Amino acid sequence: MSLIQPLPAGALDIVGDIHGEYDALVSLLGHLGYDEHGHHAQGRTLVFVGDFCDRGPNSPAVLALVQRLVESGRAVAILGNHEINLLREDAKDGSGWFFDARMVRDHDKYAPFQRLMPTPAQALWPSWHRCPLGWSVKTCAWYTQPGKQTRSKWSEHSPWAACVSATTSGNKPPNNTP
């Protein structure tokens, strides 16, 4: 598998920097129209752009939910620096939920947080090795809402950036767009 993969075709909802905020993630997914199994009535796909864990109250639940959605085919994900730090066994600020060495230092700043029984990072999400490090994007999506034109921007050189693909045909940017 290539470390850079194309984004899925169709309408996408891009979600990032969850940082262990399980309740906020569940609320956001409901607000976006997803059910508890990751189904969307309009067939949209969830795109998670990393930083699922650390700092928030329930990183284990966020990781479990994202894993379930990715493995069911309802979502795609790339790893963020926080997940890569776990895999590298590099204890950073906010990772006291996982690393004993950070638990005391992180307590005052981030507690309460759900702890995970000591386990290798690879056991948290066995399919992490199948997640790409980035997505390739050739064009930026344009879409129109009634009475309003919206444009997505991104840096073509950033592997962490993603751009939603157009869901309707014929919507093109104006000629004077940089």
Side-chain angles (χ1 to χ4, degrees):
M1 170 189 232
S2 172
L3 294 178
I4 306 295
Q5 294 288 315
L7 280 168
L12 308 173
D13 290 309
I14 300 173
V15 179
D17 293 301
I18 303 161
H19 288 290
E21 295 290 345
Y22 177 78
D23 292 339
L25 175 59
V26 169
S27 178
L28 174 64
L29 297 181
H31 178 75
L32 292 172
Y34 291 88
D35 69 15
E36 66 274 7
H37 303 290
H39 294 95
H40 192 281
Q42 297 172 351
R44 300 178 68 83
T45 301
L46 283 164
V47 176
F48 291 105
V49 292
D51 291 358
F52 313 122
C53 59
D54 295 346
R55 302 183 183 150
N58 202 345
S59 292
V62 169
L63 289 168
L65 176 58
V66 172
Q67 176 184 356
R68 183 172 51 81
L69 294 173
V70 168
E71 290 180 353
S72 72
R74 301 286 175 214
V76 295
I78 57 174
L79 303 180
N81 62 306
H82 292 261
E83 293 76 44
I84 291 170
N85 289 337
L86 291 181
L87 291 170
R88 292 182 62 233
E89 297 183 14
D90 189 6
K92 300 282 188 186
D93 182 60
S95 63
W97 67 276
F98 185 79
F99 292 108
D100 291 338
R102 288 289 320 184
M103 189 172 63
V104 172
R105 283 189 285 178
D106 286 351
H107 184 272
D108 289 344
K109 191 172 182 181
Y110 299 112
F113 45 79
Q114 294 294 315
R115 284 278 292 159
L116 191 64
M117 296 304 293
T119 183
Q122 292 85 350
L124 286 176
W125 187 347
S127 57
W128 274 7
H129 66 280
R130 285 184 261 155
C131 290
L133 291 179
W135 289 296
S136 61
V137 179
K138 300 291 183 197
T139 59
C140 190
W142 286 82
Y143 59 95
T144 357
Q145 295 175 340
K148 177 178 162 185
Q149 185 162 340
T150 307
R151 174 172 67 141
S152 291
K153 288 184 172 182
W154 84 102
S155 167
E156 184 177 340
H157 305 289
S158 171
W160 304 104
C163 184
V164 180
S165 58
T167 58
T168 55
S169 61
N171 291 332
K172 299 191 184 218
N175 291 333
N176 62 353
T177 300

